[in-house]
Amino acid sequence: GGRGSSDPVGGTGTHVRGVPVFAHLIALEDNGVLQMGVVAAPALQRRWSATRGAGAYCNGAPIHVSTVDKLSDTFLGYDSIKDFGDSDLFVRLLRSCHRTRGFGDFWAHMLVAEGGLDAAIEPRVAHWDMAAVQIIVEEAGGRFTNLAGEARADGGSGLSTNGLIHDSVLEKLRIST
């Protein structure tokens, strides 16, 4: 979605430039707990979904996060380096990983859920951009937090991982003391 708007479509910024990576993101929350989420990307012909306690799926087939357990073996997706206030910390993270790609938006997080990426990070996002993402990643066996390490879609940022490298990614983004 667009930064600072109530845009119901994820990836509109790239879509208007002709990149066919956009999605409709829908989540259902009950008493503060995400219960289900759907991310539908028509141009990619993919639909990811999850229901609390029932697993995650892409086009009806079960999906699961990767088993990479070292940051040095990690394949990380991100949105834009410009969104990081301290780009030196972000570059330090990127250099710690095996491979990095600027997939950005919902797609990087869905690639984490299906095991294609080990981590996806976005420093500035809206609640509606991350609610469906959070439950799909979690139900695929991964972990989702904001950059403060809080498991919440409304925390202003998003980090999806396979769970095994989550703390290592967060640590790289902390200022060394």
Side-chain angles (χ1 to χ4, degrees), residues 38-92:
V38 175
V39 174
L44 297 175
Q45 297 182 345
R46 296 182 103 140
R47 181 180 304 132
W48 298 268
S49 61
T51 302
R52 179 75 51 211
Y57 299 84
C58 180
N59 292 345
I63 57 174
H64 202 275
V65 296
S66 72
T67 58
V68 169
D69 63 356
K70 288 187 240 163
L71 197 53
S72 61
D73 293 334
T74 295
F75 194 172
L76 179 138
Y78 61 93
D79 191 10
S80 174
I81 194 169
K82 289 183 176 186
D83 288 338
F84 282 86
D86 186 340
S87 60
D88 290 341
L89 289 175
F90 182 59
V91 169
R92 182 175 78 167

